Amino acid sequence: MAIGEFDLIKCYFERSASSAGVELGIGDDCALLDVPAGKHLAVSMDTLVAGVHFPADASSRLIAERALRVNLSDLAAMGAEPLWFTLGLTLPEPNPDWLENFSVGLFAAADEFNCVLVGGDTTRGPLSMTLQVHGAVDSKNALRRSGARIGDLVCVTGCLGDGAAALAVIQDKLWPGEDAREYLLDRFYRPRPQLVEGQLLLGVASAALDISDGLIADLGHICECSNVGAIVDIERLPLSSAMRANVSVMQANTWALAGGDDYQLCFTLPPAKQLALQTLIDSGQLQATIVGEIVSGSGVICRSEGVEVNLSATGYNHF
Ligand SMILES: [Mg+2]
């Protein structure tokens, strides 16, 4: 007998733990929530469809972890602190093992990043999920895409290209050694939302976003919103040794520029804040690399050894 919707939520998703700001959680028609004083509520939603955003046969624990982590990355991009989330889950068939593992993965990520599930809905249909995350951000300081100015430096957190390299591993197109394989798959299924980093950049960065579609595409959004252009120096791109050891320099740089699923932050830095950034880096609080600069004009230009290059699907070459 199919499990009813009420039992499904009760079984797998209702937890009794009380949390700050949650006046009323799952179990009534609405959740009742208190937004911290002096903060904006930051809200973001993502839908993930089986076969499009994750392999349909992937472990439900990993799918859940990834779904929440990817959503939290959007809060990180604004410098917001996670508070709550809601979940819309569409399932072909309520399979108890699948649901049990899904809820383990979901709550593992929720607990790690202090984000409380306060409501949701389940329906029957092709496997997909929609998560909406809520966070709090200082009402004057949120990191927007529109604040970049000519002369600002372009920076990124962490390493770039691992998401695309991981996808190649999943698609059986790249066969690294065991350690590199483990590292890359972990980056894909358990991306690190740069929440601490985003909050450290409040009052330091002039603009920011998270890199979900590749540096060029996402930096392009900052340029568009800020009415500026950008130059990226390919030699400055931060690459992981796991990726570097297993592909050509050209492939590594192409993935770093145009691959997706990295969920690092790209931010712009006024020259006057360079010392503040260096202090954060030197003290070990932030891993960040300067990769380029904001210029007049529009769009993103890539440079290799000081010369403008043309980026295509298979790599880049000099004009
Ligand atoms: Mg985003």
Side-chain angles (χ1 to χ4, degrees):
M1 199 179 79
I3 187 165
E5 182 188 333
F6 177 80
D7 291 334
L8 195 151
I9 290 172
K10 206 175 174 57
C11 258
Y12 299 105
F13 299 113
E14 191 171 332
R15 296 201 307 184
S16 56
S18 67
S19 302
V22 182
E23 175 70 23
L24 190 62
I26 293 176
D28 210 312
D29 294 302
C30 294
L32 299 175
L33 309 165
D34 294 324
V35 180
K39 305 276 180 156
H40 278 319
L41 186 64
V43 178
S44 178
M45 178 185 268
D46 251 329
T47 295
L48 300 167
V49 177
V52 179
H53 301 100
F54 59 88
D57 59 352
S59 137
S60 58
R61 182 176 62 78
L62 293 177
I63 295 169
E65 275 223 54
R66 177 172 154 78
L68 184 53
R69 286 164 171 270
V70 164
N71 262 254
L72 289 169
S73 177
D74 281 323
L75 291 183
M78 304 293 288
E81 176 192 354
L83 296 172
W84 319 295
F85 72 105
T86 56
L87 167 72
L89 191 56
T90 303
L91 295 169
E93 178 82 17
N95 172 325
D97 283 345
W98 194 96
L99 278 161
E100 174 64 30
N101 284 319
F102 185 87
S103 104
V104 167
L106 192 70
F107 286 120
D111 291 345
E112 182 173 346
F113 300 105
N114 271 321
C115 198
V116 180
L117 180 65
V118 293
D121 189 25
T122 55
T123 45
R124 189 172 287 229
L127 178 60
S128 76
M129 62 209 64
T130 297
L131 283 86
Q132 187 175 50
V133 288
H134 304 86
V137 64
D138 191 291
S139 51
K140 286 181 275 302
N141 260 339
L143 300 170
R144 302 172 190 225
R145 298 176 174 193
S146 54
R149 298 290 174 263
I150 294 164
D152 285 359
L153 299 167
V154 175
C155 311
V156 297
T157 61
C159 293
L160 299 183
D162 288 343
L167 198 59
V169 172
I170 290 167
Q171 293 171 340
D172 209 18
K173 293 173 184 162
L174 180 68
W175 309 273
E178 200 45 50
D179 287 356
R181 182 185 165 83
E182 210 170 284
Y183 165 88
L184 291 171
L185 291 181
D186 187 61
R187 290 285 141 163
F188 184 84
Y189 284 114
R190 305 179 69 244
R192 315 291 193 268
Q194 301 287 294
L195 289 157
V196 173
E197 292 79 355
Q199 289 165 56
L200 285 171
L201 290 172
L202 291 169
V204 177
S206 51
L209 47 50
D210 65 322
I211 306 176
S212 51
D213 299 328
L215 176 63
I216 307 257
D218 288 314
L219 178 55
H221 297 316
I222 287 184
C223 289
E224 209 180 303
C225 294
S226 302
N227 287 312
V228 293
I231 295 177
V232 170
D233 285 308
I234 290 176
E235 282 74 24
R236 299 169 103 170
L237 295 170
L239 309 173
S240 72
S241 51
M243 178 177 66
R244 253 319 276 116
N246 287 286
V247 299
S248 69
V249 181
M250 177 73 85
Q251 180 65 84
N253 285 332
T254 304
W255 276 340
L257 289 167
D261 296 313
D262 280 326
Y263 302 104
Q264 298 292 339
L265 299 181
C266 172
F267 60 96
T268 56
L269 185 78
K273 299 287 184 182
Q274 207 174 345
L275 194 61
L277 178 74
Q278 199 55 50
T279 305
L280 289 172
I281 294 171
D282 291 345
S283 63
Q285 297 181 80
L286 186 69
Q287 191 196 339
T289 311
I290 296 168
V291 297
E293 61 188 298
I294 295 294
V295 295
S296 62
S298 64
V300 180
I301 290 167
C302 294
R303 236 172 12 193
S304 175
E305 287 155 2
V307 182
E308 209 174 299
V309 295
N310 187 14
L311 190 75
S312 72
T314 53
Y316 50 88
N317 41 56
H318 295 269
F319 280 113

